[in-house]
Amino acid sequence: MAIPNVGIDAATLPEGIVFIRERWFYADYTKRYDEIEKKYIKLKSDEYYKSYWSLTQIAYGATDKLTVVASFWYFDSKIKSGDDVGKDKGIGDLYIFSKYKLLSVEKELNSGIVGLLGLRLPTGDKKNMPILRLGDGSTDIGVGFAATKQWGRSTNSIFGGIWLNNKSDRAIDKRHEVEYRATSEYELVPKKLNLQMELKGVWFEGNKERLLELVPGIQYTPVFPLTFQVSCKVPIEARGYFKYDYQIVLGASFAFPVSHKTIPQKSVRESQP
């Protein structure tokens, strides 16, 4: 699912508001999972796996309860590890999803429950270097739910979702992918600076691969509605594929109305798709 820099909340964009965010990711993998020994092995001094990718998200408030989002990925990776030697770059799979408010809390714009429905289209390359995972190769459906509750300056959210992988000869991942998150956000400086912390988990391929990460982050709004974000993903439990010591994520976002409506500052700054 398309997500904020840290977490998935139950907020939706106000009607007529467009939200655009660019995010940049970088990971330098240091270990490879050994299926025979059932543990991670450190890459040799002459081995490497480096990956950079970017995510462009465009969201629109179709109504106050319904937000639609399109996510465009671009990857640039290179690897030299054992028999895997090569590089690949290009667009990834296209994600389109909707976020619908199922339950609202009076006087709390971001509290409530939302349902998410997503579609993953196989636009990413999977033939050149499939180990680098630019694309999955199948058209998949995702469903999920998020709940959020505010307490003063603190906002806490939980999320659970699943990608129903289409089993076909073209698909790389033939098993469903489950994702879950718990996020806390604290408004350190009102309307300016937020501190964020997330526990993010994902497992797929029948739990042959899984990852549990702790993700601290900072969100800064110098001039509304321009916002910058920095976060760091730190694995605390993992199995399968490759593993990094940490992953850096940077983000910048902006929102604007497409009608004569004004932008509610609290809603747009916190109601990220």
Side-chain angles (χ1 to χ4, degrees), residues 81-199:
S81 177
D83 295 331
D84 296 313
V85 179
K87 58 184 178 180
D88 199 2
K89 61 181 178 180
I91 62 172
D93 290 345
L94 170 64
Y95 290 66
I96 301 173
F97 83 100
S98 62
K99 190 177 185 183
Y100 185 77
K101 181 82 74 171
L102 300 173
L103 176 66
S104 300
V105 178
E106 187 177 358
K107 297 182 181 180
E108 294 183 11
L109 293 175
N110 298 322
S111 295
I113 299 174
V114 296
L116 298 100
L117 180 63
L119 184 66
R120 180 165 57 192
L121 302 175
T123 55
D125 171 41
K126 72 178 186 66
K127 297 179 180 179
N128 187 12
M129 283 292 293
I131 191 68
L132 300 179
R133 296 185 171 179
L134 270 65
D136 170 71
S138 65
T139 299
D140 308 317
I141 296 175
V143 294
F145 295 90
T148 298
K149 176 60 180 174
Q150 292 180 260
W151 285 279
R153 292 189 179 185
S154 178
T155 302
N156 300 282
S157 302
I158 57 174
F159 165 79
I162 181 171
W163 279 108
L164 304 171
N165 268 290
N166 178 25
K167 296 182 181 180
S168 69
D169 293 337
R170 299 177 58 191
I172 294 176
D173 298 324
K174 302 180 185 298
R175 302 292 293 274
H176 304 323
E177 178 181 330
V178 176
E179 185 176 326
Y180 53 93
R181 299 166 179 259
T183 310
S184 291
E185 183 174 8
Y186 182 76
E187 194 175 41
L188 186 63
V189 179
K191 301 180 181 181
K192 285 290 185 181
L193 183 64
N194 288 12
L195 302 181
Q196 303 165 319
M197 182 63 72
E198 176 189 17
L199 184 66

Side-chain angles (χ1 to χ4, degrees), residues 10 20 28 33 60 67 79 99 103 106 108 134 174 224-225 232 243 247:
I20 299 177
D28 186 353
Y33 192 75
Y60 175 67
T67 296
I79 187 172
K99 190 177 185 183
L103 176 66
E106 187 177 358
E108 294 183 11
L134 270 65
K174 302 180 185 298
F224 177 80
C232 180
K243 184 180 179 182
Q247 179 188 144

Side-chain angles (χ1 to χ4, degrees), residues 16 22 32 51 132 144 176 178 209 222 231 264:
E22 188 71 24
R32 180 172 189 160
S51 185
L132 300 179
H176 304 323
V178 176
E209 293 189 25
S231 60

Side-chain angles (χ1 to χ4, degrees), residues 29-41 43 49 84 131 133 173 202-213 235 237-244:
Y29 295 87
T30 58
K31 298 177 182 178
R32 180 172 189 160
Y33 192 75
D34 189 301
E35 292 289 349
I36 298 177
E37 298 190 25
K38 303 299 181 183
K39 66 178 183 180
Y40 281 97
I41 305 297
L43 296 183
Y49 177 10
D84 296 313
I131 191 68
R133 296 185 171 179
D173 298 324
V202 59
W203 66 266
F204 48 100
E205 289 300 297
N207 204 29
K208 291 182 180 179
E209 293 189 25
R210 62 177 180 262
L211 178 62
L212 183 64
E213 298 175 299
E237 200 276 332
R239 173 179 174 154
Y241 197 56
F242 289 80
K243 184 180 179 182
Y244 44 75

Side-chain angles (χ1 to χ4, degrees), residues 16-29:
I17 300 299
V18 173
F19 179 92
I20 299 177
R21 186 213 322 272
E22 188 71 24
R23 301 171 70 202
W24 300 272
F25 305 76
Y26 177 75
D28 186 353
Y29 295 87

Side-chain angles (χ1 to χ4, degrees), residues 8 12 32 54 57 88 135 152 159 190 197 205 230 245 271 273:
I8 295 178
T12 52
R32 180 172 189 160
S54 64
Q57 291 180 300
D88 199 2
F159 165 79
M197 182 63 72
E205 289 300 297
V230 179
D245 296 326
S271 304

